[in-house]
Amino acid sequence: MMPVSAEPFIAARDLLLRLRDDYDAAVREFRWPVMDRFNWALDYFDHLPADDLALWCIGESEEKLSFGELRTRSNQVANHLRALGVRRGDLVMLLVPNVRQLWEALLALMKLGAVISPATILLTETDVRDRFERGGMRHAIVDASLTGRFADLNRNYTRIAVGGAPGWHRFEDAYAASEAFVPDGETRATDPLVMYFTSGTTAKPKLVLHSHQSYPVGQLSAMYCFGPQPGDIQLGIASPGWAAHMYGLFAGWNAGTAIVAMAQPRFDPRKVLDVLVRCGVTVFWGPPTVWRMLIQEELGPRPPGLRAVLSGGEPLNPEVIDHVQRAWGLTLRDVYGQTETTLLVGNSPGQAIVPGSMGRPMPGFVIGLLDENGAEAEEGEIAVRLEPPPLGLLQGYQQEDGSVRPIEGKFYRTGDLAVRGPDGRLSFVGRADDVFKSADYRISPFEIESALLEHDAVAEAAVVPSPDKQRFVVPKAFITLSAGYAADSATAFEIFACMRGRLAPYKRVRRIEFCELPKTVSGKIRRAELRQQEAARRHDRIRGPAEFWEADFPELSGRGRAGNVT
């Protein structure tokens, strides 16, 4: 039986599950629960049906755990960590791949009231040092293979290694601890739970702080958009260091569904497709980068159990949606959220899908679009209205002195631009930092990139402004080629010709450079780096090693070739 402290959460959850296919009713009837004391792991997770499948771990080995087994394991880990000095409010770096021990540690740290700082296994020694210095970490739970990145970290902190390492406490000693856990006190719903470092595509990562209600309860929006049903098995592709991983955790377990956790040192699209079939996955999600890699592998026939497919984390290009629809007969549903928020906008079950739209605001969120003057408009910056206050929003940004800067004003501004259609659906335009003007025309890189990705030769693309004497700037595309295509003038000509037939003249790509795109550790393209590089090159009048300009091909004048498009 669920404790009284969980009742408001359960009531809100059950309403959304009941109205999973009725978006209008869900928006009308849903209200965020009012909570005083709440610890999601203790008050909710521990009371899920003990024999039901909770976690299916697939890596070097494979194992299944029920909710009851995870409750016991996480109790033992919590007792072990407390014996090693982990206390309520302590900040703990969690640098572990997507294996069983990661999930045990997440639940254990929640139960202790410690503050979790998830980290991707791609962090460098410099990244680790920065997080300790700016975040104030007191403990680190680290995979044994990664402990070398802490060798030069001269700080006083508790070292715990999954698999054991010299000079580190062994994580697995927890399994000798008591199976009964007694918390040291109550957890307030507003107590801090998780601190993320943002991906830092344009600046140094910010320290984003979430509470015991803003993430577990706030992610009711993700649960609603995923549209869970009894007996579901969910697979998401997301690094444990990033917000999407915990989006999946709470979206799945808030509905009591099973989660498949794949530990892959390197993404293997063929293995993912095999797991979808073998494990009977019903709900599958991943970022557009993953979907593009799966498409290049060839999707094959639709996995028999698969009912729902979703994409988020980056804008979803229309050609990816079309390809999945043709191959599997399923509509790939776009969703939108940030590290600072829970899932804000999406195409939930029961909604008609409009191509190019990322959907409508989730129940509990009121979304405005703000123009350059801060006034509400039909096109502008996506902004979350703070009255009434939504739960699915960060507590604030932690500063380097340990203080927390809260979100103030009438809106939380996301920095992303969108346009609202007459039906209320939002279509992504781009990051405010990425949109630019050419010859006084406003250019959305996302629109041009979507057109580029329709060409067979283009695996990935990033469009930035390139300084130009006549037009001030013109669109330049940095392109990673698909396998089998050469970075030569013939390929550049084909792409230029294709774009002439698909884009208005002012949107047309005028310069192309073939290269590997620079990315953050979370896999997002570093557009700021490309903009700075291009500005420096044009200042020095230098072309890249595989760069081609439209002006190099006078034969293009007057042509509107369709190019090689799928």
Side-chain angles (χ1 to χ4, degrees), residues 84-93 115 117 131-132 135-141 155-160:
L84 293 176
V86 179
R87 296 290 181 265
R88 183 178 297 275
D90 285 356
L91 193 60
V92 184
M93 176 180 279
V115 183
S117 184
R131 295 193 177 202
F132 266 78
M137 308 286 175
R138 299 193 63 180
H139 317 275
I141 302 174
R155 298 179 69 90
N156 183 23
Y157 65 99
T158 310
R159 297 166 172 82
I160 305 154

Side-chain angles (χ1 to χ4, degrees), residues 196-199 208 210 215 242-243 247 337-341 394:
Y196 278 111
F197 285 67
T198 60
S199 54
V208 173
H210 278 282
Y215 237 41
W242 302 109
Y247 269 48
Q338 292 189 319
T339 303
E340 287 90 341
T341 69
L394 77 163

Side-chain angles (χ1 to χ4, degrees), residues 370-560:
L370 305 183
D371 65 17
E372 295 173 353
N373 299 314
E376 293 202 50
E378 293 307 298
E379 181 174 354
E381 184 179 359
I382 302 169
V384 182
R385 185 178 291 278
L386 301 182
E387 289 296 337
L391 286 193
L393 190 65
L394 77 163
Q395 285 186 309
Y397 294 104
Q398 182 168 307
Q399 308 301 292
E400 294 189 19
D401 63 1
S403 63
V404 177
R405 176 170 60 85
I407 303 301
E408 298 176 330
K410 294 182 179 180
F411 291 94
Y412 161 72
R413 304 181 68 144
T414 65
D416 291 322
L417 303 178
V419 59
R420 191 193 313 272
D423 55 4
R425 289 174 171 80
L426 300 176
S427 296
F428 186 82
V429 173
R431 285 291 297 173
D433 293 337
D434 294 336
V435 173
F436 59 93
K437 281 192 173 183
S438 174
D440 209 36
Y441 289 101
R442 193 162 175 266
I443 304 293
S444 166
F446 175 66
E447 183 180 0
I448 301 175
E449 290 161 9
S450 293
L452 285 164
L453 286 166
E454 293 182 23
H455 196 288
D456 288 345
V458 180
E460 288 189 289
V463 172
V464 302
S466 177
D468 179 80
K469 287 183 178 180
Q470 183 178 356
R471 297 181 178 88
F472 182 59
V473 297
V474 295
K476 175 177 176 178
F478 289 87
I479 292 173
T480 298
L481 289 169
S482 302
Y485 287 88
D488 58 18
S489 60
T491 303
F493 177 86
E494 280 295 320
I495 295 172
F496 279 129
C498 174
M499 292 304 100
R500 291 178 76 89
R502 301 191 68 80
L503 293 171
Y506 72 91
K507 299 177 184 177
R508 195 174 295 157
V509 173
R510 304 289 177 171
R511 295 162 189 171
I512 286 174
E513 182 171 342
F514 300 122
C515 64
E516 288 297 321
L517 298 176
K519 295 182 179 180
T520 68
V521 290
S522 66
K524 294 182 180 179
I525 298 169
R526 291 189 179 275
R527 299 173 190 276
E529 182 178 319
L530 292 173
R531 288 196 300 269
Q532 293 163 5
Q533 172 186 299
E534 185 59 19
R537 282 188 181 169
R538 296 286 68 77
H539 178 270
D540 297 335
R541 299 183 180 181
I542 298 172
R543 285 205 196 188
E547 181 172 354
F548 303 90
W549 291 19
E550 189 181 50
D552 299 338
F553 305 98
E555 64 269 36
L556 281 169
S557 298
R559 299 181 66 126

Side-chain angles (χ1 to χ4, degrees), residues 294-336:
L294 291 171
I295 287 170
Q296 289 181 21
E297 181 68 23
E298 292 299 332
L299 292 177
R302 170 179 167 181
L306 197 59
R307 185 188 77 252
V309 287
L310 300 96
S311 180
E314 306 165 42
L316 182 62
N317 305 97
E319 83 287 347
V320 177
I321 299 174
D322 293 341
H323 195 114
V324 174
Q325 181 70 51
R326 291 196 304 270
W328 286 352
L330 294 173
T331 300
L332 183 55
R333 296 190 277 121
D334 201 4
V335 300
Y336 170 81

